[in-house]
Amino acid sequence: MPTLSQRWMGRGNIIKEHYTRIERFSGAVDITRPILTGMGVLGVASAAALANQGFPVWHLALAGLIAALLAYAAIHAFNDLVDRRRDIECWPGRPIPSHRLATAQVLVFVVFCFIIALAIIWVFFNTTCFVVSLISV
């Protein structure tokens, strides 16, 4: 059985005929690549601290953290969505090729995460940050 770190780096899990609800939920967590997402969020936090010349006020730091978590989770899920055909051969244990998650479920998750992340950026940050983020998405 793959270790948690292997699954959370995107290498997949054991392929089975049927999955329990917990295994399907773990597929939803696995598809966000929690380890890589955490590393990306730390990079964003470092850049924000440098741009702000110190730690920003707590409500902006929390809003930025949540927006970055959602955006990175969506990026990794979108990557699996785009690579779903290739992953059948290369990484068959990933959530989409192993059928732990349906393609439509992943698409809804990606769109939802990006919309919420952009909404947070619109509300808490400036227009330039929103436009750059929107173009990136």
Side-chain angles (χ1 to χ4, degrees):
M1 179 173 169
T3 65
L4 197 59
S5 65
Q6 287 175 322
R7 287 178 30 217
W8 285 8
M9 290 289 287
R11 295 189 180 129
N13 203 352
I14 295 173
I15 301 169
K16 295 169 45 176
E17 187 69 29
H18 298 284
Y19 296 98
T20 66
R21 287 181 190 217
I22 292 173
E23 290 169 330
R24 289 187 185 278
F25 177 76
S26 77
V29 173
D30 292 351
I31 205 165
T32 66
R33 311 257 200 303
I35 293 173
L36 298 176
T37 295
M39 290 168 51
V41 169
L42 288 175
V44 169
S46 300
L50 288 171
N52 196 49
Q53 297 178 345
F55 195 78
V57 294
W58 72 269
H59 71 279
L60 289 179
L62 183 61
L65 173 80
I66 293 169
L69 281 171
L70 288 168
Y72 271 98
I75 288 166
H76 292 299
F78 183 72
N79 176 60
D80 276 11
L81 193 61
V82 171
D83 289 343
R84 67 187 178 275
R85 289 190 185 101
R86 181 190 65 99
D87 286 345
I88 291 171
E89 293 179 22
C90 298
W91 301 102
R94 283 187 174 172
I96 296 173
S98 68
H99 301 292
R100 280 189 290 157
L101 295 176
T103 303
Q105 291 173 315
V106 177
L107 182 60
V108 167
F109 175 77
V110 167
V111 170
F112 175 79
C113 285
F114 277 140
I115 288 173
I116 299 300
L118 288 169
I120 290 170
I121 292 167
W122 176 260
V123 170
F124 287 95
F125 301 101
N126 58 43
T127 307
T128 304
C129 186
F130 175 78
V131 170
V132 169
S133 299
L134 182 63
I135 290 169
S136 297
V137 168

mmCIF file of all heavy atoms in Angstrom, residues 41-59:
data_model
loop_
_atom_site.group_PDB
_atom_site.id
_atom_site.type_symbol
_atom_site.label_atom_id
_atom_site.label_comp_id
_atom_site.label_asym_id
_atom_site.label_seq_id
_atom_site.Cartn_x
_atom_site.Cartn_y
_atom_site.Cartn_z
ATOM 1 N N VAL A 41 1.763 27.147 -0.852
ATOM 2 C CA VAL A 41 1.205 28.178 0.018
ATOM 3 C C VAL A 41 2.311 28.852 0.830
ATOM 4 O O VAL A 41 2.285 30.068 1.037
ATOM 5 C CB VAL A 41 0.111 27.586 0.927
ATOM 6 C CG1 VAL A 41 -0.299 28.553 2.016
ATOM 7 C CG2 VAL A 41 -1.098 27.195 0.080
ATOM 8 N N LEU A 42 3.302 28.092 1.264
ATOM 9 C CA LEU A 42 4.431 28.696 1.972
ATOM 10 C C LEU A 42 5.194 29.667 1.074
ATOM 11 O O LEU A 42 5.657 30.719 1.530
ATOM 12 C CB LEU A 42 5.375 27.615 2.506
ATOM 13 C CG LEU A 42 4.848 26.809 3.684
ATOM 14 C CD1 LEU A 42 5.831 25.697 4.041
ATOM 15 C CD2 LEU A 42 4.598 27.706 4.885
ATOM 16 N N GLY A 43 5.314 29.335 -0.189
ATOM 17 C CA GLY A 43 5.953 30.245 -1.143
ATOM 18 C C GLY A 43 5.165 31.524 -1.307
ATOM 19 O O GLY A 43 5.727 32.623 -1.353
ATOM 20 N N VAL A 44 3.837 31.402 -1.393
ATOM 21 C CA VAL A 44 2.977 32.585 -1.507
ATOM 22 C C VAL A 44 3.083 33.431 -0.241
ATOM 23 O O VAL A 44 3.178 34.661 -0.306
ATOM 24 C CB VAL A 44 1.508 32.169 -1.775
ATOM 25 C CG1 VAL A 44 0.562 33.348 -1.641
ATOM 26 C CG2 VAL A 44 1.377 31.532 -3.139
ATOM 27 N N ALA A 45 3.081 32.783 0.920
ATOM 28 C CA ALA A 45 3.183 33.513 2.186
ATOM 29 C C ALA A 45 4.517 34.250 2.287
ATOM 30 O O ALA A 45 4.568 35.392 2.750
ATOM 31 C CB ALA A 45 3.012 32.550 3.356
ATOM 32 N N SER A 46 5.576 33.608 1.838
ATOM 33 C CA SER A 46 6.891 34.260 1.859
ATOM 34 C C SER A 46 6.906 35.481 0.958
ATOM 35 O O SER A 46 7.417 36.543 1.343
ATOM 36 C CB SER A 46 7.979 33.277 1.398
ATOM 37 O OG SER A 46 8.028 32.167 2.240
ATOM 38 N N ALA A 47 6.352 35.355 -0.228
ATOM 39 C CA ALA A 47 6.295 36.489 -1.158
ATOM 40 C C ALA A 47 5.445 37.615 -0.581
ATOM 41 O O ALA A 47 5.796 38.798 -0.711
ATOM 42 C CB ALA A 47 5.742 36.031 -2.502
ATOM 43 N N ALA A 48 4.341 37.277 0.068
ATOM 44 C CA ALA A 48 3.477 38.305 0.665
ATOM 45 C C ALA A 48 4.201 39.037 1.787
ATOM 46 O O ALA A 48 4.102 40.262 1.900
ATOM 47 C CB ALA A 48 2.196 37.669 1.186
ATOM 48 N N ALA A 49 4.921 38.286 2.607
ATOM 49 C CA ALA A 49 5.673 38.920 3.703
ATOM 50 C C ALA A 49 6.760 39.838 3.157
ATOM 51 O O ALA A 49 6.980 40.941 3.678
ATOM 52 C CB ALA A 49 6.266 37.853 4.610
ATOM 53 N N LEU A 50 7.430 39.416 2.097
ATOM 54 C CA LEU A 50 8.464 40.269 1.488
ATOM 55 C C LEU A 50 7.853 41.518 0.858
ATOM 56 O O LEU A 50 8.377 42.625 1.005
ATOM 57 C CB LEU A 50 9.249 39.478 0.441
ATOM 58 C CG LEU A 50 10.210 38.424 0.987
ATOM 59 C CD1 LEU A 50 10.747 37.572 -0.151
ATOM 60 C CD2 LEU A 50 11.344 39.078 1.749
ATOM 61 N N ALA A 51 6.746 41.357 0.144
ATOM 62 C CA ALA A 51 6.107 42.502 -0.500
ATOM 63 C C ALA A 51 5.545 43.476 0.525
ATOM 64 O O ALA A 51 5.544 44.687 0.305
ATOM 65 C CB ALA A 51 4.990 42.025 -1.431
ATOM 66 N N ASN A 52 5.096 42.954 1.646
ATOM 67 C CA ASN A 52 4.510 43.776 2.703
ATOM 68 C C ASN A 52 5.576 44.326 3.657
ATOM 69 O O ASN A 52 5.265 45.102 4.531
ATOM 70 C CB ASN A 52 3.479 42.945 3.479
ATOM 71 C CG ASN A 52 2.566 43.779 4.328
ATOM 72 O OD1 ASN A 52 2.001 44.751 3.866
ATOM 73 N ND2 ASN A 52 2.437 43.405 5.581
ATOM 74 N N GLN A 53 6.800 43.893 3.480
ATOM 75 C CA GLN A 53 7.924 44.239 4.358
ATOM 76 C C GLN A 53 7.643 43.838 5.799
ATOM 77 O O GLN A 53 7.933 44.560 6.738
ATOM 78 C CB GLN A 53 8.269 45.719 4.246
ATOM 79 C CG GLN A 53 8.730 46.098 2.873
ATOM 80 C CD GLN A 53 9.041 47.567 2.734
ATOM 81 O OE1 GLN A 53 8.679 48.382 3.569
ATOM 82 N NE2 GLN A 53 9.737 47.907 1.665
ATOM 83 N N GLY A 54 7.062 42.674 5.956
ATOM 84 C CA GLY A 54 6.734 42.123 7.265
ATOM 85 C C GLY A 54 5.444 41.339 7.178
ATOM 86 O O GLY A 54 4.802 41.272 6.124
ATOM 87 N N PHE A 55 5.061 40.738 8.282
ATOM 88 C CA PHE A 55 3.845 39.926 8.299
ATOM 89 C C PHE A 55 2.628 40.833 8.166
ATOM 90 O O PHE A 55 2.500 41.804 8.908
ATOM 91 C CB PHE A 55 3.775 39.114 9.592
ATOM 92 C CG PHE A 55 2.782 38.004 9.544
ATOM 93 C CD1 PHE A 55 3.082 36.825 8.887
ATOM 94 C CD2 PHE A 55 1.535 38.142 10.128
ATOM 95 C CE1 PHE A 55 2.170 35.785 8.821
ATOM 96 C CE2 PHE A 55 0.611 37.120 10.074
ATOM 97 C CZ PHE A 55 0.937 35.944 9.427
ATOM 98 N N PRO A 56 1.720 40.548 7.213
ATOM 99 C CA PRO A 56 0.526 41.382 7.058
ATOM 100 C C PRO A 56 -0.430 41.215 8.245
ATOM 101 O O PRO A 56 -0.278 40.292 9.040
ATOM 102 C CB PRO A 56 -0.106 40.881 5.759
ATOM 103 C CG PRO A 56 0.469 39.543 5.520
ATOM 104 C CD PRO A 56 1.785 39.487 6.237
ATOM 105 N N VAL A 57 -1.417 42.093 8.330
ATOM 106 C CA VAL A 57 -2.402 41.973 9.400
ATOM 107 C C VAL A 57 -3.082 40.607 9.300
ATOM 108 O O VAL A 57 -3.202 40.030 8.218
ATOM 109 C CB VAL A 57 -3.434 43.121 9.353
ATOM 110 C CG1 VAL A 57 -2.772 44.444 9.657
ATOM 111 C CG2 VAL A 57 -4.145 43.175 8.022
ATOM 112 N N TRP A 58 -3.532 40.093 10.440
ATOM 113 C CA TRP A 58 -3.983 38.702 10.522
ATOM 114 C C TRP A 58 -5.126 38.384 9.570
ATOM 115 O O TRP A 58 -5.173 37.310 8.997
ATOM 116 C CB TRP A 58 -4.339 38.335 11.964
ATOM 117 C CG TRP A 58 -5.612 38.964 12.446
ATOM 118 C CD1 TRP A 58 -5.757 40.162 13.076
ATOM 119 C CD2 TRP A 58 -6.919 38.426 12.282
ATOM 120 N NE1 TRP A 58 -7.070 40.412 13.322
ATOM 121 C CE2 TRP A 58 -7.814 39.358 12.858
ATOM 122 C CE3 TRP A 58 -7.431 37.268 11.713
ATOM 123 C CZ2 TRP A 58 -9.194 39.151 12.870
ATOM 124 C CZ3 TRP A 58 -8.803 37.065 11.735
ATOM 125 C CH2 TRP A 58 -9.674 38.003 12.313
ATOM 126 N N HIS A 59 -6.092 39.283 9.387
ATOM 127 C CA HIS A 59 -7.230 38.946 8.525
ATOM 128 C C HIS A 59 -6.810 38.855 7.053
ATOM 129 O O HIS A 59 -7.333 38.027 6.310
ATOM 130 C CB HIS A 59 -8.400 39.914 8.721
ATOM 131 C CG HIS A 59 -8.187 41.289 8.187
ATOM 132 N ND1 HIS A 59 -7.482 42.250 8.881
ATOM 133 C CD2 HIS A 59 -8.577 41.851 7.025
ATOM 134 C CE1 HIS A 59 -7.451 43.357 8.167
ATOM 135 N NE2 HIS A 59 -8.105 43.144 7.031
#
